Amino acid sequence: MSGSPARVTIKDVAARAGVSKGAVSLAFNHKPGVSDATRERIFEAARQLGWAPSATARSLSNQRVDVVGLALCRPARLLGIEPFYMDFVSGIESVLVERSCSLLLRLVRDVDEEIAVHRDWWRGRMVAGAVLVDFRREDPRVPALQAIGLPAVAVGHPSLTGGFPAVWTDDATAVGEAVRYLAALGHRRIARVGGPAELGHSAIRAEAFRSTVRGLGLDEGRQVATGFDEEEGARATRSLLLSADRPTAIVYDNDIMAVAGAGVAAEMGLVVPDDLSLLAWDDSQLCRITHPTLSAMSHDVHHFGAEVARILFEVIDGTHTGPHQAPTPKLTPRGSTAPAPGYGRPA
C-alpha cells in the first residue's frame, strides 16, 4: 500500500463545508444558487484543505473572465475624497472599457484580508488578474500570491515588489527636487508630513528627504508619519507649528493633508506663503481651487492608472517584457510657496 496522502477532491471540500458537490461547483464558478455565507464557508473549507479547481477543469470552461481585481487597504470615507485613487481608478477603467472588461474593487482592513481576498478571487475564477498597491518592505503578499500563480502588476518600486512586474515613479528624485526648490527660496527649516511609515514608498521618500536636507547643509528636517487623511494631516501640521523650531516650509505626501495644513496655518494666524510655504504631492483639482493655490509635485495619475492596466493585460496575455518606470513627478510652483520670511528682504 502506498504511504502517500490521498488527493483532496471536491467531495472532501463539500464534506468539510457541509454542502453538496454541486454547491462547491457553483461557488467556484461564481454562479448563483448559494448564499454569500455558504460561498465563504466553501472557500474557507477549500483553503483549509489546500484545494483549488484543477487547471484541466478550468480549461474545460468556455466562460471568459473579463474582470480584474483591485483590493485597497483604505477606509471607505477616505477613498471617497482622495483624488489620487479616483484618478488612478479612472485611468484603469479607461483601458478596461476598451476591452469590455470590468474592475472588481474591494476595500480590506489589512494585508492578511487582502491575501485571502485575492486567493478567493483567483481560485473562484472571478478575476483574470489583479493590481497590487501600497507595498511594504518584505511584503507578505509577494510570496503568498506568487504561490497561487496570480497574474498581477505591482504599483511600486521594483525593490519592494519581488518578482511581480512593477510600474512606479521615481519618488526619491521628486523629493529631492522639492527640497532643493524650497532651499533655493531660502528655507532652512523644512519639514515633511508623510504617509504611514510601513509603506515602502513612504520609506523611500523619507530617506530621500533626509539625505537631501543633509546634503544641502540645512537644519535637520522633522518628518511626521500619518495616515493620509485630513485630520491626521492637520494634527501633524499643528504639532510642527507649535514646536520651538517651527518650520518655514512643509512638504506633504498628498494633497488632502496639504489642504488641511493650510487650514491649520490660518487657524494659528500664519499667512501662506508669507509666513509658511506649503508643497503637496499628487497635484489635483484640490490644489488649484484652494486659496492660495498649492504648489505641488505633478504627474498624470489618470495616465499612470491606464499604463498599469495596459501592463496588466500584457502580463495576462504573456507578452510583458519588463518593469516600467513612469515619468517622474515634476514641480509645479503656485501661490503657496515663496521666499522664506526675511530671505532677500530688507531687515
Side-chain angles (χ1 to χ4, degrees):
M1 179 182 291
S2 171
S4 61
R7 184 171 64 89
V8 176
T9 68
I10 189 173
K11 182 179 179 180
D12 299 316
V13 175
R16 173 68 67 93
V19 298
S20 67
K21 290 192 296 182
V24 176
S25 179
L26 289 173
F28 274 90
N29 282 289
H30 195 50
K31 293 182 178 179
V34 293
S35 68
D36 290 342
T38 300
R39 191 185 307 275
E40 180 55 38
R41 191 165 76 249
I42 291 169
F43 287 162
E44 178 60 27
R47 280 194 295 269
Q48 292 173 359
L49 294 172
W51 181 87
S54 69
T56 301
R58 288 179 186 277
S59 68
L60 292 175
S61 172
N62 293 321
Q63 183 181 6
R64 179 184 171 194
V65 177
D66 291 325
V67 178
V68 300
L70 172 61
L72 294 175
C73 190
R74 283 283 196 285
R77 181 185 60 82
L78 178 59
L79 183 64
I81 63 173
E82 190 171 30
F84 174 87
Y85 272 114
M86 292 298 97
D87 285 347
F88 180 67
V89 168
S90 73
I92 292 176
E93 290 279 13
S94 71
V95 174
L96 297 186
V97 72
E98 295 172 359
R99 292 173 169 254
S100 299
C101 292
S102 301
L103 179 68
L104 180 56
L105 176 64
R106 173 77 174 268
L107 302 184
V108 297
R109 291 163 295 187
D110 52 39
V111 172
D112 290 338
E113 183 180 359
E114 181 178 344
I115 291 172
V117 165
H118 282 298
R119 281 175 174 157
D120 288 346
W121 282 352
W122 183 236
R123 288 173 174 168
R125 289 188 296 172
M126 296 171 65
V127 298
V131 176
L132 306 176
V133 299
D134 288 342
F135 276 80
R136 296 154 175 78
R137 303 284 186 186
E138 306 298 328
D139 198 299
R141 293 174 297 176
V142 173
L145 300 183
Q146 284 178 337
I148 64 173
L150 175 70
V153 60
V155 179
H157 192 274
S159 64
L160 304 168
T161 59
F164 283 114
V167 183
W168 80 101
T169 56
D170 187 353
D171 285 4
T173 295
V175 168
E177 181 182 4
V179 173
R180 285 190 293 273
Y181 164 69
L182 293 170
L185 292 175
H187 295 279
R188 294 198 56 84
R189 298 192 306 277
I190 304 171
R192 171 177 169 267
V193 176
E198 66 270 16
L199 293 182
H201 69 266
S202 293
I204 289 171
R205 294 179 189 182
E207 177 53 37
F209 179 89
R210 189 161 40 245
S211 63
T212 304
V213 165
R214 288 176 179 171
L216 293 172
L218 305 177
D219 297 349
E220 186 171 355
R222 285 186 60 194
Q223 301 192 68
V224 182
T226 69
F228 287 128
D229 67 30
E230 71 276 14
E231 290 182 5
E232 294 197 46
R235 188 179 304 115
T237 302
R238 197 171 287 110
S239 71
L240 290 169
L241 297 183
L242 288 173
S243 62
D245 54 347
R246 174 171 67 83
T248 60
I250 304 175
V251 179
Y252 294 85
D253 261 20
N254 74 358
D255 43 7
I256 293 176
M257 295 193 297
V259 171
V264 170
E267 163 197 310
M268 298 180 68
L270 298 174
V271 177
V272 176
D274 294 348
D275 302 317
L276 176 69
S277 286
L278 306 178
L279 194 154
W281 205 278
D282 295 333
D283 192 10
S284 71
Q285 189 68 19
L286 272 180
C287 297
R288 295 185 285 275
I289 65 175
T290 301
H291 181 74
T293 54
L294 286 172
S295 297
M297 301 308 295
S298 303
H299 61 122
D300 191 337
V301 178
H302 179 92
H303 179 75
F304 183 69
E307 282 297 294
V308 168
R310 290 190 189 101
I311 291 173
L312 176 59
F313 282 114
E314 290 178 3
V315 173
I316 293 170
D317 296 339
T319 60
H320 181 63
T321 57
H324 177 79
Q325 182 175 342
T328 302
K330 298 297 183 184
L331 176 68
T332 301
R334 294 198 183 99
S336 67
T337 48
Y343 182 72
R345 305 172 192 170

